[in-house]
Amino acid sequence: CEAKERATEASGASVVLSNELLDAFAPVKLMLSMYAGPNVSDCGVWQEMRLVHLISETDLLKIIQALHYSEDRVESLLYDLRGDTSDMFCGIRNTTVGQAAAECSPESSCLAIAFGLSELLGHVDLHLPAAAHNMRLRLRKDNELCARLRDVAKNLEGAMENAVVLPRQVYRQVRHDMRDKPEVEVVFLSHVQTRQVPVPLSADRCGELSRWMASHHARIQRLLDVYRPLGYPILHLLVRPGEWKFVELADCLIGSGSGYSLSIDYGASFEALGHSHTVDPFSDGIFTPPVPQELLVGLPDCFGSWATCAGRVDWTTFVDFTNIAEAGKHHGWRTLAYGPQNILEHISRRNVTVGSGAVYNVPGYAML
């Protein structure tokens, strides 16, 4: 849906109700280095985490042969994937930071260098800066950092031997082609790796998040002031641009008259979610709920990493209701209530007497 012509007072809706809708909007995971006192309004100091799918050529060949790809298609696909992998990750190795990392670990492949640098950002004791010039200097002057990179890259080499990267469109096409072959899909999920790499925000992404950054500037600064003294190197936040777009659509539907928007979902406040993502950056705020065991037969561990069994299990995540309220404020809305779902059930009251004549008013469906 898209917000277009705004409703009039006569044609507008009175209520916009959503139930477990907002958490379905695509999230963007952001990282902000806490060192050097970053200007949180400057898009250039932020990084976005991107997912990268990898698989060994040997395993991929078996899978696409099981999908009955022609020999010409197989040869063309593998040729393109080798080229894409080399262009992307050897390109990273050829940057100034990548060259400094290669000097530390000259035997490491392009993939191991790139993912090794990404992994080191999560090593709290290293206090790594995000700025490229600072990282380059540390790699050239810090022997402990070089030794750590060599160890990490060495461990990654085994997992990435003969690996190629699957671009998004290739990954989607392969998954589409195996939709009627669940036994092939199980093999694919067992062999594909999903890793994360930080990248600078593009100009389009900066434009998309500009209102979010402006609205939450003070909150982000408070989180930095809390977690920097505690030794956390990076602030992790999850943003859903769709939350603002949903509020725009609700405002368009209600129009110039008065009305209400009620959204029911798993969620929390901005600060609570910022805490959760920062102290546990590997979950990404995405959780896999319990799954019947018969649906997991043959699959790898679907609960160790949320991306492992993509498409075969459900995911749940948390809506940022502070962000929803800020988006509403932008359109002149006023927040009337925020809290657990049982606040909607305060239809009647029941008097409960406890002890020596003390009377407590307890709302329906509540516990004392």
Side-chain angles (χ1 to χ4, degrees):
C1 297
E2 184 179 353
K4 293 184 178 179
E5 185 176 347
R6 199 161 185 256
T8 65
E9 187 170 354
S11 64
S14 298
V15 177
V16 175
L17 174 64
S18 70
N19 183 24
E20 296 196 21
L21 167 67
L22 303 182
D23 67 344
F25 296 140
V28 178
K29 185 179 181 182
L30 299 179
M31 297 170 50
L32 180 64
S33 174
M34 299 203 194
Y35 302 119
N39 174 11
V40 300
S41 297
D42 179 8
C43 193
V45 303
W46 292 86
Q47 290 183 304
E48 175 184 350
M49 295 299 288
R50 293 284 184 88
L51 296 178
V52 179
H53 303 293
L54 307 99
I55 190 170
S56 76
E57 281 195 31
T58 304
D59 293 329
L60 179 61
L61 183 59
K62 293 177 182 177
I63 289 165
I64 56 181
Q65 286 176 340
L67 295 175
H68 306 296
Y69 283 20
S70 67
E71 289 187 11
D72 288 344
R73 186 178 180 187
V74 170
E75 184 178 348
S76 174
L77 177 61
L78 292 177
Y79 177 83
D80 290 342
L81 293 179
R82 292 185 197 113
D84 291 343
T85 302
S86 177
D87 291 346
M88 181 185 302
F89 287 92
C90 290
I92 293 174
R93 180 171 175 158
N94 289 332
T95 64
T96 55
V97 173
Q99 290 173 2
E103 292 173 7
C104 285
S105 187
E107 302 300 321
S108 299
S109 66
C110 297
L111 285 171
I113 288 289
F115 288 111
L117 287 172
S118 177
E119 185 173 322
L120 287 182
L121 290 175
H123 289 212
V124 177
D125 61 308
L126 292 176
H127 302 288
L128 289 179
H133 63 282
N134 291 330
M135 176 69 89
R136 184 171 62 250
L137 182 63
R138 282 285 301 274
L139 285 166
R140 288 176 173 163
K141 300 294 185 180
D142 190 335
N143 292 331
E144 180 185 355
L145 175 58
C146 267
R148 187 79 63 88
L149 176 60
R150 283 193 295 271
D151 290 341
V152 170
K154 183 179 179 179
N155 292 332
L156 288 171
E157 289 290 3
M160 296 183 178
E161 184 178 0
N162 197 32
V164 291
V165 172
L166 301 178
R168 178 186 300 180
Q169 68 275 13
V170 174
Y171 180 87
R172 287 179 172 176
Q173 184 61 56
V174 172
R175 292 298 301 270
H176 178 78
D177 292 342
M178 60 180 64
R179 66 192 184 280
D180 296 325
K181 296 180 173 62
E183 68 286 353
V184 178
E185 187 177 48
V186 166
V187 174
F188 177 79
L189 292 175
S190 299
H191 289 94
V192 73
Q193 303 177 51
T194 302
R195 296 181 178 271
Q196 296 186 1
V197 291
V199 299
L201 267 63
S202 65
D204 289 342
R205 184 70 85 191
C206 286
E208 187 178 36
L209 297 178
S210 59
R211 288 184 302 183
W212 177 86
M213 292 181 183
S215 298
H216 299 292
H217 181 281
R219 295 184 181 92
I220 296 169
Q221 191 61 56
R222 284 197 298 270
L223 288 176
L224 288 176
D225 293 340
V226 169
Y227 292 104
R228 186 190 294 116
L230 296 176
Y232 288 91
I234 296 173
L235 182 68
H236 295 265
L237 296 170
L238 208 66
V239 185
R240 289 181 186 78
E243 291 174 350
W244 278 78
K245 295 175 182 177
F246 172 80
V247 174
E248 288 177 352
L249 179 60
D251 182 72
C252 182
L253 291 172
I254 290 176
S256 57
S258 60
Y260 300 88
S261 178
L262 174 61
S263 295
I264 305 170
D265 227 310
Y266 296 104
S269 65
F270 184 93
E271 290 80 1
L273 292 174
H275 168 79
S276 175
H277 300 321
T278 299
V279 301
D280 182 18
F282 303 107
S283 71
D284 301 325
I286 300 172
F287 303 93
T288 304
V291 180
Q293 288 301 308
E294 59 268 22
L295 299 180
L296 300 177
V297 175
L299 290 170
D301 178 13
C302 297
F303 300 96
S305 171
W306 63 266
T308 300
C309 299
R312 294 293 293 264
V313 297
D314 290 331
W315 292 330
T316 187
T317 183
F318 295 120
V319 173
D320 183 352
F321 281 111
T322 305
N323 193 41
I324 297 290
E326 282 294 328
K329 189 186 299 183
H330 182 79
H331 291 281
W333 289 58
R334 181 165 54 93
T335 302
L336 298 179
Y338 164 71
Q341 290 186 25
N342 66 1
I343 67 170
L344 303 176
E345 298 167 343
H346 293 187
I347 299 173
S348 62
R349 306 191 73 85
R350 176 185 175 195
N351 293 332
V352 178
T353 301
V354 179
S356 57
V359 176
Y360 297 85
N361 290 324
V362 181
Y365 299 98
M367 297 179 64
L368 179 62

